[in-house]
Amino acid sequence: MQRPNILLTGTPGVGKTTLGKELASRSGLKYINVGDLAREGELYDGYDEEYDCPILDEDRVVDELENQIREGGVIVDYHGCDFFPERWFHIVFVLRTDNSVLYKRLETRGYSEKKLQDNIQCEIFQVLYEEATASYKEEIVHQLPSNKPEDLEDNIDKILKWIEQWIKDHNS
């Protein structure tokens, strides 16, 4: 049976991981957090002192994911998306969060003021939405609000319905 590949993207703190894990448990699809994958496999290409974080080796990440993506039924969670091959994903969801909500979430994570401001700017200017629409066919890229717990439930319901329809359409 064919199953779809889904990309969850958006600024850090918008709720990709919460949505991805819950979606995986309810759909039976496999959840992959690219940040965790990179940590476990040490898929880095140096360290960014300014942002106090490792620099992702995008080529190694793509190599690491290739076989799992080919099998299908994968939910990938990462804040960037322009380095993933376009053929990988059947649908892309960009989570969006109001700046006041996002600021509090990132502050709670202990982000430096610069990292906080840069991520808020990223959200204001829709950087990751624009990256997604530039990297994938526009008709497969969808924005979802992610401000309150009800949004999470609504998003899960929408995506589960989409998965169900995709499976029907591709396995008949």
Side-chain angles (χ1 to χ4, degrees), residues 6 8 17 37 42 66 72 84 102 106-107 112 122 132 149 155:
I6 298 170
L8 299 178
T17 302
L37 180 82
E42 296 181 19
E66 185 73 50
F84 296 123
L102 185 60
L106 297 178
E107 200 176 40
S112 69
C122 184
N155 292 339

Side-chain angles (χ1 to χ4, degrees), residues 79-136:
H79 59 263
C81 67
D82 59 353
F83 65 95
F84 296 123
E86 185 181 1
R87 69 181 187 283
W88 276 13
F89 300 107
H90 300 99
I91 196 158
V92 177
F93 293 105
V94 183
L95 284 114
R96 302 297 310 274
T97 301
D98 292 338
N99 295 327
S100 57
V101 175
L102 185 60
Y103 190 93
K104 287 181 188 116
R105 289 180 188 171
L106 297 178
E107 200 176 40
T108 304
R109 291 182 177 186
Y111 276 32
S112 69
E113 192 57 34
K114 176 169 179 38
K115 198 170 175 177
L116 232 163
Q117 291 303 325
D118 286 355
N119 278 297
I120 295 295
Q121 291 293 321
C122 184
E123 187 67 7
I124 289 170
F125 292 111
Q126 301 186 42
V127 172
L128 293 164
Y129 176 67
E130 288 180 13
E131 182 179 301
T133 57
S135 302
Y136 303 94

